[in-house]
Amino acid sequence: MTERPYEVLARFGADGKVAGVSVRHITAVNGKEYEGDPQPLSGTGDPAFSEFAEAFSAAVVAERDTLATDKTTLTQ
């Protein structure tokens, strides 16, 4: 059985500030994947938060680099 975070859910309060954050996991059992229920995130030290933050950061950097290349190609 393996588990990986795949979704971070942020809840906002009436004042517009973040009121809570939960993370959902995918659990693989014998080759089948199951979606878990949202679990409260314990904070930025939570391993799920760190894993999600690293993946999100890598995706944003890749998207930025692709857009920069596209811009260069289009302006030539």
Side-chain angles (χ1 to χ4, degrees):
M1 179 172 82
T2 61
E3 183 176 271
R4 70 183 194 286
Y6 84 99
E7 183 177 55
V8 173
L9 307 163
R11 183 177 57 258
F12 293 89
D15 61 358
K17 294 181 181 175
V18 175
V21 179
S22 297
V23 64
R24 292 179 68 151
H25 291 84
I26 294 284
T27 302
V29 179
N30 296 328
K32 283 186 112 172
E33 292 188 336
Y34 301 93
E35 240 179 71
D37 292 330
Q39 299 296 318
L41 196 60
S42 62
T44 57
D46 188 303
F49 180 82
S50 299
E51 187 174 335
F52 188 82
E54 288 172 17
F56 185 79
S57 177
V60 168
V61 168
E63 182 70 17
R64 180 206 61 198
D65 293 348
T66 299
L67 291 171
T69 301
D70 292 350
K71 178 182 176 192
T72 300
T73 301
L74 291 171
T75 56
Q76 289 180 355

